[in-house]
Amino acid sequence: MIPTLVALPLFAAFFVSLLETLRVKEKNIRVVFLAGIFSPWAIFIHTATKIPLSEIVGNHVKEAGIQVSLDIYNFYFILAELILFSIVAVYSVGYFKQRAKNGKIYALLLLMHAGLLGAFISRDLFNYYIYMEVASVSSFALVALSDEKGAKKAAYKYLAFSLVASYLFIFAIGIIYLKTGYLNVELIRSKITVSREINVALAVAFSALILKSGIFPLHFWLPDAHSKAPNPISALLSGIVVKAPIYGMLLLYLALPIRKSLLNILTLIAFSSMLIGVIFAILQKNAKRLLAYHTVSQMGYVLLGISTLNPIGTIYYAFAHTLFKGGLFLSVGTLINSQKTKDLERLTYRHDKILMISIIMLSLAIGGISPFVGAFGKKLLLSNLSGVQLYLFYIAGIGTLVSFTKLNYYLMKPEESIKSNLTQRMLSFTIAVLTLAFGVYFGLTMSYKDLLIILAAILTFWLLQRVGFFSMAPKKHFGESMKEAGKEVNIYMIVFSLFLLILLLQNF
């Protein structure tokens, strides 16, 4: 039953491509597309009542078959994927309506849907790798579909670095297979003998997955790819696609013992990503780049759960991030779509109460304010922190709120009223309500500490504005033309090589 979660969107992708080739009317293609997006819900609801659930595809023995599961480690990844994809699919139908040959876009979205669901149900490293690649290839193509200047270069960089990460990850899987004889996570765990080769494989695999998830200092492809993609694609990329590499890290955590030295480096990387990402976000004047840099910061939080041996914290924060980041990209994207600008100084939601409420709610959710769902994930992550780590965590949290205070400060400016699409506004509002509903479901209540944190963020924002911090702009080292793509990729490849070397050296 579990594999049908993947099979249904795959069949739909095939039929959408077939109908597109046969030049069937667009409305019929749209019906098949939506059926492919929504049909996994029936399987998920049916199987979720029986978790933990595990199957071997084809009823082979575990040593020879492919294991898929539905349990605490992937339940919220799959739930987040289904919620975000369902909302984005409805949003996309209107958004892409004016484009010619939108059947290709629907087919790519269905392949991404199938790839992500396949990766999240996997308990086999090679099967996980295959499905993650299916989702990645669809993502490159969807970024390249954007008409925005620089989108082709952004897609090229995304493709180049993702391919490098894929080659290294499959190399690491090969080492694990040679040393254990298995690809199944449970079998690897039962047969593992710690050795230098296994530690090298872990270092290579984590380097590859950190690159794929856009965590600092390997984030160089992410701000361009996520900010230049079409709005619904940005929501998917930042909301759920970057969670597939995180799930891979969880599989490694479940399969192999991770050395303390590697965990310490991962913790350092996590805090660096949380803080550097938020600083770059604060300095942005492009609304989508601000949100994209916040993905760099927020993925640091998700990595922190793994590096501090707190997988439950990672799972719940990844779930929360999928909702509020997907919602923010859809809400801000709706404003951008109607006002034809990404410039914060020209955007406004003053005339649009639905989007104003949505963006304020989502800003509180990403800031970790109760009773929104982000607070629950942060509470779990905090349980394994102590000393200076606690201070760094709170500093990053206040920095996030400062950045979203800036976003809302600019959006509140009175500007000319421009009507935006009602369906898109209501879908954005739906996600905002979900961030509150899940927070209440997890037992969150309002707290006076949250009020103090909000006041600290507003005061910090006011001080930074007074000293002219927001007028600073990060220097651009590369242009947006394809001519500079090779040079940029080469330089960042050196950065990645040094990063990989550092992780490898901790084994000696």
Side-chain angles (χ1 to χ4, degrees):
M1 182 64 79
I2 299 175
T4 51
L5 277 170
V6 184
L8 293 171
L10 276 179
F11 279 129
F14 169 76
F15 283 115
V16 164
S17 300
L18 182 64
L19 295 176
E20 172 81 0
T21 305
L22 297 174
R23 299 184 180 179
V24 173
K25 287 183 179 178
E26 197 270 343
K27 67 177 183 181
N28 295 327
I29 296 175
R30 201 186 313 149
V31 170
V32 178
F33 165 66
L34 291 175
I37 295 293
F38 284 97
S39 54
W41 272 108
I43 309 299
F44 179 72
I45 292 169
H46 177 71
T47 52
T49 56
K50 303 173 184 175
I51 64 168
L53 192 62
S54 188
E55 296 177 22
I56 307 296
V57 179
N59 292 323
H60 299 289
V61 295
K62 188 180 287 186
E63 287 77 3
I66 296 171
Q67 185 177 1
V68 292
S69 298
L70 184 60
D71 56 23
I72 185 61
Y73 291 107
N74 60 7
F75 177 86
Y76 280 103
F77 281 97
I78 296 172
L79 179 61
E81 202 272 355
L82 290 173
I83 291 173
L84 186 60
F85 240 101
S86 301
I87 291 173
V88 169
V90 178
Y91 189 103
S92 297
V93 166
Y95 185 88
F96 291 116
K97 199 171 184 178
Q98 304 305 320
R99 289 188 70 112
K101 298 182 178 178
N102 50 13
K104 288 185 173 58
I105 297 173
Y106 295 155
L108 287 169
L109 283 169
L110 284 164
L111 284 175
M112 184 195 284
H113 192 35
L116 289 170
L117 289 173
F120 291 144
I121 63 173
S122 295
R123 281 294 190 278
D124 174 292
L125 291 176
F126 187 73
N127 196 47
Y128 158 77
Y129 164 77
I130 294 296
Y131 279 116
M132 183 174 63
E133 289 310 294
V134 171
S136 296
V137 170
S138 309
S139 302
F140 314 143
L142 287 166
V143 173
L145 282 171
S146 172
D147 296 325
E148 189 171 337
K149 184 182 177 184
K152 300 291 184 294
K153 183 187 171 192
Y156 173 74
K157 281 196 301 179
Y158 185 12
L159 169 68
F161 289 114
S162 187
L163 283 179
V164 169
S166 299
Y167 295 146
L168 286 172
F169 187 71
I170 195 70
F171 172 69
I173 293 177
I175 295 174
I176 294 169
Y177 181 69
L178 284 173
K179 296 300 294 183
T180 65
Y182 296 114
L183 294 167
N184 181 288
V185 168
E186 291 179 10
L187 293 173
I188 293 171
R189 187 77 184 182
S190 66
K191 298 290 183 183
I192 188 67
T193 302
V194 177
S195 64
R196 179 171 290 181
E197 291 81 1
I198 289 293
N199 290 331
V200 165
L202 272 173
V204 173
F206 269 102
S207 299
L209 295 174
I210 287 172
L211 178 59
K212 270 188 174 284
S213 53
I215 294 170
F216 177 86
L218 306 182
H219 65 289
F220 24 76
W221 59 269
L222 188 147
D224 283 347
H226 288 203
S227 65
K228 293 185 182 299
N231 295 332
I233 308 305
S234 297
L236 290 174
L237 293 177
S238 271
I240 192 67
V241 173
V242 291
K243 304 303 183 322
I246 294 297
Y247 184 70
M249 294 183 198
L250 273 177
L251 289 182
L252 292 173
Y253 167 85
L254 293 174
L256 301 161
I258 306 174
R259 291 180 61 177
K260 182 71 176 173
S261 56
L262 179 57
L263 290 173
N264 289 338
I265 292 176
L266 293 178
T267 303
L268 179 64
I269 293 167
F271 277 112
S272 302
S273 198
M274 290 161 62
L275 294 167
I276 302 294
V278 86
I279 290 171
F280 274 95
I282 288 173
L283 293 173
Q284 300 304 314
K285 291 183 179 175
N286 177 313
K288 284 187 73 174
R289 282 186 78 81
L290 182 151
L291 296 179
Y293 272 107
H294 267 294
T295 299
V296 176
S297 175
Q298 295 289 309
M299 293 309 288
Y301 286 89
V302 182
L303 176 64
L304 185 65
I306 293 170
S307 68
T308 55
L309 302 180
N310 184 0
I312 300 301
T314 284
I315 291 164
Y316 280 93
Y317 200 75
F319 173 73
H321 181 260
T322 299
L323 295 183
F324 54 65
K325 183 47 70 70
L328 281 165
F329 265 110
L330 292 185
S331 304
V332 176
T334 301
L335 289 176
I336 291 171
N337 202 31
S338 62
Q339 297 171 34
K340 310 299 179 193
T341 179
K342 295 180 182 176
D343 188 349
L344 266 182
E345 295 183 346
R346 295 170 57 198
L347 274 175
T348 180
Y349 59 32
R350 188 71 171 266
H351 59 283
D352 193 329
K353 298 296 182 286
I354 294 175
L355 284 179
M356 180 190 288
I357 293 169
S358 302
I359 293 173
I360 291 173
M361 289 173 71
L362 292 163
S363 298
L364 294 172
I366 196 172
I369 301 300
S370 297
F372 294 94
V373 69
F376 186 71
K378 285 190 174 179
K379 182 181 174 185
L380 291 175
L381 290 174
L382 275 167
S383 64
N384 273 23
L385 302 183
S386 60
V388 71
Q389 292 180 347
L390 281 174
Y391 293 108
L392 291 174
F393 192 90
Y394 282 118
I395 290 170
I398 291 174
T400 301
L401 278 173
V402 170
S403 175
F404 281 93
T405 302
K406 175 186 171 183
L407 176 73
N408 285 281
Y409 171 80
Y410 279 106
L411 293 181
M412 280 184 183
K413 294 188 308 298
E415 295 283 348
E416 184 182 352
S417 175
I418 300 173
K419 193 175 181 181
S420 54
N421 183 288
L422 179 62
T423 303
Q424 294 179 3
R425 290 154 64 202
M426 292 311 297
L427 289 169
S428 306
F429 182 66
T430 300
I431 298 191
V433 171
L434 285 175
T435 62
L436 177 60
F438 275 105
V440 173
Y441 173 75
F442 290 141
L444 294 177
T445 55
M446 295 184 74
S447 165
Y448 73 92
K449 290 181 182 176
D450 294 317
L451 183 60
L452 293 177
I453 291 173
I454 292 172
L455 290 174
I458 293 173
L459 179 62
T460 308
F461 168 78
W462 179 77
L463 288 172
L464 290 175
Q465 193 181 38
R466 294 279 293 178
V467 300
F469 186 76
F470 298 130
S471 61
M472 296 171 62
K475 185 179 177 183
K476 279 193 172 183
H477 298 284
F478 304 100
E480 294 189 341
S481 69
M482 283 298 290
K483 290 180 181 176
E484 295 192 51
K487 180 182 173 185
E488 189 173 349
V489 168
N490 288 340
I491 289 174
Y492 287 135
M493 204 60 79
I494 293 171
V495 175
F496 173 65
S497 302
L498 291 172
F499 179 87
L500 177 60
L501 187 62
I502 291 170
L503 256 64
L504 287 173
L505 285 176
Q506 55 85 30
N507 291 303
F508 296 94

